[in-house]
Amino acid sequence: MKVNKLNVRKLNLAGMLIAIGVVCSPLNLPIGVAKCFPVQHIINVIAGVFLGPFYALGMAFSASLIRNILGTGSILAFPGSMCGAFLCGYMYKIFRKLPLAYLGELIGTGIFGSILAFPLASFILGNKEVALFTFILPFGISTLVGTIIAIPIVSVLKRIKFVDEFLNNEMIV
């Protein structure tokens, strides 16, 4: 059986990002009265840019699942991280512009993910008092901080071609 070396390397990088997301998930930054958990958003941007939308989506799902199993995450992590990672990767795949990838993470998590968190909070978690747009501000702050932190990281990784070398200099599709 012939194995595509690029796919194995992409899976390896995705696994490392999942591990970073799980291990660093408790790290938070106090922003006013809120706690901001930016690590998932940082790895969403890295995965979206370097691995593409579907690997980023799988990575976000896997990190959220493991964090929930370990009790360090919330069920609300699924829509937020998955929408942001996918839209970030999709925007970068289509336009090949880093600012649009960052915007994809912000819109995907901050708006789409927060709106999709509403049915989870109201029906599955049983919180009937939650309003439709309740999660936009906390999701938005967290994803904004994570994306701002990811910008120099992704820029440096692009400039030194670290991930390209890791992926064996093959074009990411």
Side-chain angles (χ1 to χ4, degrees), residues 39-82:
V39 175
Q40 184 65 46
H41 309 291
I42 296 167
I43 64 172
N44 282 354
V45 172
I46 293 170
V49 169
F50 294 108
L51 298 175
F54 295 105
Y55 276 91
L57 177 69
M59 183 271 320
F61 173 80
S62 300
S64 296
L65 181 64
I66 293 169
R67 286 175 30 220
N68 271 274
I69 290 170
L70 295 175
T72 61
S74 160
I75 196 164
L76 303 178
F78 286 100
S81 65
M82 292 170 64

Side-chain angles (χ1 to χ4, degrees), residues 58-122:
M59 183 271 320
F61 173 80
S62 300
S64 296
L65 181 64
I66 293 169
R67 286 175 30 220
N68 271 274
I69 290 170
L70 295 175
T72 61
S74 160
I75 196 164
L76 303 178
F78 286 100
S81 65
M82 292 170 64
C83 290
F86 180 79
L87 193 56
C88 172
Y90 184 75
M91 296 287 280
Y92 188 73
K93 181 179 180 178
I94 297 298
F95 300 107
R96 293 289 181 200
K97 304 275 187 219
L98 287 175
L100 292 177
Y102 305 141
L103 185 63
E105 171 65 19
L106 292 170
I107 292 171
T109 298
I111 296 174
F112 296 143
S114 63
I115 291 172
L116 288 174
F118 167 72
L120 289 175
S122 62

